Amino acid sequence: MEIVHAKLGVTAVKPDQFPTGERIEIAFAGKSNVGKSSMINTMLGRKSLVRTSQTPGKTRTINFFEVEQDWYFVDLPGYGYAKISRSESQKWGAMVEGYLKNRLPFITLVLLLDIRHEPNANDKMLYDWCKYYDLPITLVATKSDKLKRSQIQKHIAIIKKGLGACESILPFSSLNRTGREELWQYFGALKSN
């Protein structure tokens, strides 16, 4: 899919700062440095709309990116970064939970998992939390270019088992754009429902 219009719309830390209107929202979550910013840039066909960093924990707000006329891509703060205080971590958790539980136009949470690693406790907790509240979730295994093609399905099976997931997991690479078109097709199908 070719994206013509994409820009940062709103940066928020509390619900009264969230944008209003009828746009469909797709939220992106994952541990720090899992590749959220790179993935959003790849999905939007941009190089640096969303700032990327080698330093974990850079995203500390909820960022709403306007996509065409009817979408928001919502970049949620990464979790699990060890060098922040416990109170800061709890504040981020409350901010993200408030978004996920109370945002009506939200159609799916894209949970990003590094394909090279088993899900950690925070990944499992977010997955289980979404299942408990019956929130729509899409599982994506990032950095698939870091593995040989023959290893991808094995690693996806490890992630699936670690989460206890029944959903399929899409391998994705920001480097070679693997999974981009499949994910856009999936979003389009969600939009139609």
Side-chain angles (χ1 to χ4, degrees):
M1 179 169 181
E2 185 177 340
I3 303 299
V4 176
H5 174 80
K7 70 174 188 174
L8 177 61
V10 174
T11 296
V13 293
K14 51 189 180 179
D16 64 0
Q17 297 172 327
F18 294 166
T20 57
E22 299 298 316
R23 289 179 186 251
I24 296 165
E25 295 179 14
I26 296 174
F28 294 82
K31 64 187 168 195
S32 295
N33 264 22
V34 75
K36 277 189 298 96
S37 299
S38 296
M39 180 182 189
I40 294 171
N41 281 330
T42 300
M43 291 299 294
L44 300 180
R46 304 298 191 269
K47 290 192 188 292
S48 57
L49 177 63
V50 185
R51 290 188 198 159
T52 59
S53 173
Q54 294 300 314
T55 306
K58 283 292 183 187
T59 304
R60 296 184 180 210
T61 56
I62 298 177
N63 299 315
F64 293 79
F65 292 90
E66 296 176 8
V67 181
E68 300 304 348
Q69 300 304 313
D70 52 3
W71 303 83
Y72 275 119
F73 273 21
V74 184
D75 186 13
L76 301 172
Y79 54 78
Y81 179 50
K83 292 188 179 179
I84 61 168
S85 70
R86 183 182 202 102
S87 64
E88 185 77 8
S89 178
Q90 289 171 340
K91 190 166 52 174
W92 288 6
M95 177 174 48
V96 171
E97 183 176 332
Y99 169 81
L100 292 174
K101 283 173 80 173
N102 300 306
R103 204 61 185 151
L104 292 176
F106 153 74
I107 63 165
T108 193
L109 171 72
V110 179
L111 176 56
L112 283 70
L113 304 137
D114 188 323
I115 197 167
R116 301 168 297 175
H117 307 293
E118 289 186 38
N120 66 20
N122 289 322
D123 297 324
K124 178 77 171 135
M125 185 169 57
L126 180 57
Y127 176 79
D128 289 344
W129 188 88
C130 287
K131 298 308 278 184
Y132 178 81
Y133 285 103
D134 199 27
L135 296 176
I137 191 165
T138 303
L139 302 175
V140 175
T142 61
K143 306 184 182 187
S144 65
D145 56 277
K146 305 287 187 188
L147 298 178
K148 293 179 182 171
R149 188 174 290 175
S150 61
Q151 298 175 307
I152 289 176
Q153 290 309 313
K154 174 187 166 192
H155 283 258
I156 284 178
I158 291 169
I159 292 171
K160 219 172 178 178
K161 183 177 179 187
L163 289 177
C166 56
E167 297 88 356
S168 60
I169 300 173
L170 178 70
F172 189 91
S173 168
S174 293
L175 186 66
N176 60 30
R177 298 166 59 102
T178 301
R180 180 183 186 273
E181 291 309 314
E182 293 90 336
L183 205 47
W184 269 118
Q185 288 173 8
Y186 180 72
F187 292 162
L190 288 175
K191 181 182 171 190
S192 300
N193 292 339

